Amino acid sequence: MKHGLYLLLAGTVLGLLASCTVKRSNVPAQERWASVEGGQLRSTQAGEAFYFTIPIDEGMREEGVSLKIRASGEVRSGFLRFELRDPAEQTVWDSGRIGAGDFSLHTAYDLSSARTGRYHLGIVYSDDVSATYNLAWHTLRLDMGILFPGVGMVLVALVFLIYAARRWRLDWRYLGLGAFFWVFAVALKFAVAIPGNAVVFQALGVSYETVFSPANLVAYFYIGGLTGVFEAGLVYLILRRSRWGRATWEQVLMFGIGFGVVEALLLGFSGLTTALLALLAPDALPIPTLGAFAQNASLSMGLAPVVERLAVILAHIFATGLIFFAIARGETKWAWLAVLYKTLLDAPGGLASFWGVSTAGKLWTIEAVIAVVGLFGLWGTLQLARHYPLFSPSNGRGF
């Protein structure tokens, strides 16, 4: 039974990895979708505006994909229609005349016998027209590869739980306590960050155009500092005044694993649920969401969140170990080290939110920094294990 489960898990992972490598079309995922939200159209003269260029190659026809088009909005005066033109500038699809009022349309243009080349999608409008609109399209082919990041994150979490169960007797109380403290700390962090970030960013003068300016760098460490304060400092302040803070080393590890695993499971199941929805009911999701899934279906992109979860769980274990070590030794400096360490762990995420991770190069630059921080956490945890004070189980339990 156990070997059968391992074989099943291995087969699932190999199948997902194989899906990640399937490629027929030479058009990259980021060029297979686009959208405009909240577009404004005002003109006293009739005209046309073709915003989107859509590459179609032979591979797409072999994939059997269609060109999906979605449009919605409101025409206040005049009229308009959406048109798709082939490489010869011939109109191959149009929405028909759309007059005053709200409108919404979804359509699929069959590519099985379409010409290859560059198509154009846009609006043809009358004089004295006023309208708002949303327009999006995609030629994406979603497969099982989009499940890989979610499945991978869940498996990373399960590996830690299985390892802990085989190596030690699982102390479910401290495992659950660690999970609870993660939820509690993150909830408070977001309660401060949601209203406070905009104020801080405005005061610093941060900009998406100057990603590596001094002001932006301060903002990244501010983002990391929120994690350090709430996920390390606050946890230390609560634990040192409670009986939970006096724990055996095995309980410390269970607390750290619970702290990290709950995050991996929530992110993994959330991503997996949305990915399944994208596979089973893609029309229910926004096209940018489908585009993000398609881009992350490649092995180079899909593996990154899995590696990140592994590194972050190692980091959580080390940081919580420092907190308990500070309590056991009565030395606050170790708690301050935990705050600093968590700050360094999350600062790259602040950079990513401004720099973007739309390419494998950018994504793995961020992940490489997080991986180094996680490996340092593994080394640090091994050092803590050698020096952590011994407590008897009866005296060490906080429950």
Side-chain angles (χ1 to χ4, degrees):
M1 178 70 73
K2 180 175 68 174
H3 295 298
L5 177 60
Y6 290 157
L7 288 173
L8 177 61
L9 290 174
T12 301
V13 172
L14 289 174
L16 292 172
L17 287 174
S19 297
C20 289
T21 62
V22 172
K23 181 181 179 182
R24 295 189 179 94
S25 173
N26 291 319
V27 180
Q30 61 266 30
E31 295 181 19
R32 296 181 65 164
W33 70 275
S35 68
V36 58
E37 299 290 330
Q40 302 283 336
L41 178 59
R42 291 187 181 88
S43 178
T44 58
Q45 297 181 340
E48 59 184 39
F50 281 77
Y51 306 107
F52 298 125
T53 298
I54 305 172
I56 305 295
D57 66 359
E58 188 64 33
M60 289 185 190
R61 303 202 309 182
E62 294 178 5
E63 291 174 5
V65 299
S66 298
L67 169 57
K68 302 288 185 67
I69 301 171
R70 302 183 195 175
S72 62
E74 179 188 9
V75 177
R76 299 188 183 94
S77 62
F79 63 87
L80 58 83
R81 69 178 181 273
F82 297 95
E83 283 191 9
L84 176 68
R85 295 176 181 174
D86 67 11
E89 293 300 321
Q90 299 298 311
T91 299
V92 294
W93 169 86
D94 74 71
S95 63
R97 176 171 169 162
I98 301 174
D102 296 333
F103 66 89
S104 179
L105 64 92
H106 290 191
T107 192
Y109 178 70
D110 184 17
L111 298 176
S112 60
S113 58
R115 293 182 180 183
T116 58
R118 295 189 173 275
Y119 285 64
H120 297 91
L121 175 65
I123 304 175
V124 179
Y125 51 88
S126 70
D127 55 3
D128 296 322
V129 67
S130 175
T132 59
Y133 64 91
N134 308 306
L135 179 61
W137 64 272
H138 77 83
T139 55
L140 298 168
R141 175 182 177 271
L142 300 178
D143 56 31
M144 292 286 288
I146 68 173
L147 302 177
F148 179 70
V151 170
M153 288 189 283
V154 171
L155 288 178
V156 166
L158 293 179
V159 164
F160 274 90
L161 292 176
I162 293 170
Y163 176 78
R166 290 176 63 90
R167 181 71 184 274
W168 307 287
R169 183 177 64 82
L170 271 182
D171 191 323
W172 293 103
R173 295 168 298 179
Y174 269 83
L175 194 76
L177 189 64
F180 168 79
F181 266 87
W182 180 85
V183 173
F184 175 71
V186 169
L188 287 182
K189 180 176 72 172
F190 277 105
V192 171
I194 290 173
N197 282 3
V199 176
V200 173
F201 294 163
Q202 184 176 6
L204 291 173
V206 300
S207 168
Y208 286 93
E209 286 73 40
T210 57
V211 174
F212 295 101
S213 67
N216 277 47
L217 293 176
V218 172
Y220 308 150
F221 281 99
Y222 157 75
I223 293 171
L226 287 177
T227 297
V229 168
F230 286 97
E231 294 188 24
L234 178 64
V235 174
Y236 167 74
L237 291 176
I238 295 174
L239 286 178
R240 74 168 185 166
R241 295 185 176 277
S242 72
R243 56 185 179 178
W244 304 324
R246 184 175 174 83
T248 66
W249 179 242
E250 289 75 15
Q251 290 169 336
V252 171
L253 291 176
M254 290 305 105
F255 185 98
I257 290 173
F259 200 98
V261 160
V262 67
E263 182 180 26
L265 288 175
L266 288 174
L267 291 175
F269 281 123
S270 175
L272 189 56
T273 300
T274 310
L276 284 171
L277 182 60
L279 281 177
L280 300 176
D283 290 341
L285 294 176
I287 285 178
T289 301
L290 300 178
F293 274 121
Q295 185 173 342
N296 291 335
S298 66
L299 184 58
S300 62
M301 300 293 282
L303 190 61
V306 182
V307 172
E308 180 181 304
R309 281 307 101 198
L310 174 61
V312 169
I313 291 176
L314 292 174
H316 282 320
I317 293 172
F318 176 52
T320 54
L322 285 171
I323 290 169
F324 281 95
F325 192 71
I327 295 170
R329 296 285 295 267
E331 297 175 350
T332 308
K333 64 181 180 180
W334 303 108
W336 282 111
L337 181 58
V339 172
L340 175 61
Y341 178 73
K342 278 292 186 74
T343 299
L344 295 177
L345 174 68
D346 220 32
L351 169 60
S353 65
F354 283 82
W355 194 31
V357 288
S358 57
T359 65
K362 286 185 176 182
L363 178 60
W364 281 102
T365 299
I366 299 295
E367 299 302 346
V369 176
I370 294 174
V372 169
V373 176
L375 289 174
F376 180 84
L378 175 61
W379 174 83
T381 301
L382 296 175
Q383 302 309 307
L384 287 177
R386 294 171 53 192
H387 298 92
Y388 192 82
L390 293 177
F391 296 125
S392 67
S394 58
N395 290 333
R397 296 191 187 283
F399 294 89

